[in-house]
Amino acid sequence: MNKPKEVLKDFTKNSSFCAAPWLHYYRSPIGEVAACCISDPLSPQLKLKTFEEIINSEEYKKLRLQMMNGVLPKECHLCEKSNNNIIYKDNVNEFLEGMKPKILENTLDDGTINLDPVFLDFRFLDCNITCNTCNPDYSSSWLKKINKVESSEAYNLKLQENLQDTSFFEDEYSRVINNFQWQRIYFAGGEPLMKKNHLKILEELKEKPFHADLKIFYNTNLSIGKTLLKNWLELLAHFKEVHLNVSIDSFGKFNDLIREGSSFEKICSNLDFIVFHKPSNLNLKIDLTITSLFFYNIFEFSEWILKNKYSLNARAMNEFGYLGAFLRPEVLKISFRKKVFLQWSEWYCTLGLEDQDRLKNLFEVMTMFHAEPEFNEDMKKEVQKHIQETLKYELIDLNHFIKFNMKQDLCVDINGIVNV
């Protein structure tokens, strides 16, 4: 029997507590259901369920019960330790701090809740570039590219899942975005601006009674035309806050190598347009993923950030991508990484306080990550395998790496793999 709500202890004070399983609705670009974008997906059986069927499912109740009892669920292991100085659940709890009384009031002792979601993150695969830090679970361009690869039977099944009929997800998205009083919506992907109905969704949202209180967040590659950019900015002016994170992973040709199909020149032109035309409610930030190639132009990138007075958010690549293991910073010799960081940090210390503050996040991540151990032998073999696959299917022109004198700085032996 459920206990009366008033005798439930204040479980929101537990260190394991995160408000996401109570007030957040997340779906990955391939329809997986999870507590949030960094937690492990829940049962595949939830994939074709509606929000109302999901929120009090046994899987979700189990998540909440564990948090209520002071246990961090295994699906939430990435919040056990700081990831580049960020613990995601802390951000969620800060945003939803004012909702804690409602959470306590509307939660039963078996984990059942009677609450509407207020934070939406519903993603699709649509994407116009093929980042080598990404994979076919997050990009339709990767799905097209991967047709070259003679994948295993298991991976072919995975591709079939990703290419399945998306009508259910389209219908669910349209339904929930119109049926709840959202306080925050995060548009990511894929590339959110590639959704054909994205501007239509914004048109509908700006007519909602809650639009003046709605905070919208984007992660975008900004590889779009000026007409779309202009129309999009005009619509964004109707909301309380817009936080625009633009993904750029290096400077100039390095960025375009990592983010295949991207044009650094075009992105810079679009950034200039935004700075000149942006509504007063829009906050612009560059979102950087640090890869092995970043160590070769950290100075140029930093000077570009300072020249344009951009805000910056940095993190180190900690995934393998699909065939991008050689982009992990740990593929570089630790002696090389330390040398680059020492030179850059000495330069950083000569900057004025305003410029240091602008690059502070990058300094913190580089301080933590430049001395990460090199790959062990198993990981080195995985890198060699990725490079062989890349060459076999001509997925990336590895001659670029030779031009950047990268071979001598690798902790992985690529003799006999790459012809130089």
Side-chain angles (χ1 to χ4, degrees), residues 105-143:
E105 182 182 344
N106 291 279
T107 303
L108 301 180
D109 69 331
D110 68 346
T112 300
I113 62 171
N114 181 25
L115 287 163
D116 285 341
V118 297
F119 176 16
L120 179 66
D121 182 356
F122 200 122
R123 308 186 185 191
F124 290 90
L125 273 174
D126 307 68
C127 194
N128 53 340
I129 65 175
T130 315
C131 298
N132 292 302
T133 54
C134 195
N135 63 62
D137 287 353
Y138 286 87
S139 168
S140 56
S141 292
W142 254 112
L143 278 175

Side-chain angles (χ1 to χ4, degrees), residues 90-103:
D90 293 346
N91 290 347
V92 173
N93 288 342
E94 180 182 0
F95 160 56
L96 295 171
E97 177 70 29
M99 299 291 291
K100 286 183 177 179
K102 274 194 171 184
I103 288 174

Side-chain angles (χ1 to χ4, degrees), residues 25 51-52 115-117 175-182 210:
Y25 185 21
F51 171 79
E52 290 80 1
L115 287 163
D116 285 341
R175 187 182 67 82
V176 298
I177 207 165
N178 283 295
N179 284 7
F180 295 106
Q181 305 288 307
W182 300 107
F210 59 82

Side-chain angles (χ1 to χ4, degrees), residues 32-249:
E32 292 173 326
V33 175
C36 73
C37 63
I38 70 165
S39 67
D40 293 343
L42 297 172
S43 168
Q45 295 180 357
L46 296 178
K47 206 168 179 179
L48 296 178
K49 302 287 186 182
T50 65
F51 171 79
E52 290 80 1
E53 294 170 315
I54 290 166
I55 198 62
N56 281 314
S57 62
E58 292 304 314
E59 291 89 345
Y60 252 86
K61 288 195 290 184
K62 181 181 177 183
L63 274 183
R64 290 192 287 265
L65 275 174
Q66 287 177 296
M67 292 181 179
M68 291 162 65
N69 290 316
V71 177
L72 189 71
K74 62 179 175 55
E75 293 86 356
C76 306
H77 61 93
L78 288 178
C79 277
E80 285 181 333
K81 59 182 179 179
S82 173
N83 178 21
N84 296 333
N85 297 324
I86 297 170
I87 297 179
Y88 190 71
K89 69 181 177 66
D90 293 346
N91 290 347
V92 173
N93 288 342
E94 180 182 0
F95 160 56
L96 295 171
E97 177 70 29
M99 299 291 291
K100 286 183 177 179
K102 274 194 171 184
I103 288 174
L104 289 168
E105 182 182 344
N106 291 279
T107 303
L108 301 180
D109 69 331
D110 68 346
T112 300
I113 62 171
N114 181 25
L115 287 163
D116 285 341
V118 297
F119 176 16
L120 179 66
D121 182 356
F122 200 122
R123 308 186 185 191
F124 290 90
L125 273 174
D126 307 68
C127 194
N128 53 340
I129 65 175
T130 315
C131 298
N132 292 302
T133 54
C134 195
N135 63 62
D137 287 353
Y138 286 87
S139 168
S140 56
S141 292
W142 254 112
L143 278 175
K144 296 173 185 175
K145 186 174 187 176
I146 218 64
N147 285 334
K148 292 183 177 182
V149 181
E150 298 167 4
S151 305
S152 67
E153 183 178 348
Y155 203 84
N156 279 326
L157 289 173
K158 181 76 168 175
L159 290 178
Q160 289 174 24
E161 288 179 17
N162 291 12
L163 290 166
Q164 67 183 316
D165 179 18
T166 61
S167 59
F168 169 80
F169 305 116
E170 297 282 357
D171 291 345
E172 173 72 351
Y173 177 64
S174 297
R175 187 182 67 82
V176 298
I177 207 165
N178 283 295
N179 284 7
F180 295 106
Q181 305 288 307
W182 300 107
Q183 296 179 23
R184 177 183 292 200
I185 298 178
Y186 182 36
F187 292 115
E191 169 51 48
L193 296 176
M194 289 298 101
K195 285 296 296 173
K196 292 180 180 179
N197 65 341
H198 185 70
L199 295 190
K200 180 175 180 290
I201 289 291
L202 293 179
E203 289 275 7
E204 293 172 352
L205 284 171
K206 78 180 180 66
E207 301 302 324
K208 300 292 182 185
F210 59 82
H211 81 274
D213 297 316
L214 178 60
K215 297 179 181 180
I216 295 179
F217 292 73
Y218 278 93
N219 193 286
T220 173
N221 60 47
L222 208 60
S223 297
I224 59 175
K226 285 295 191 298
T227 301
L228 174 57
L229 182 59
K230 179 177 180 293
N231 294 338
W232 177 50
L233 289 176
E234 289 175 356
L235 285 168
L236 295 182
H238 294 275
F239 305 100
K240 181 176 182 179
E241 292 177 17
V242 177
H243 298 266
L244 178 58
N245 294 328
V246 180
S247 294
I248 297 177
D249 291 343

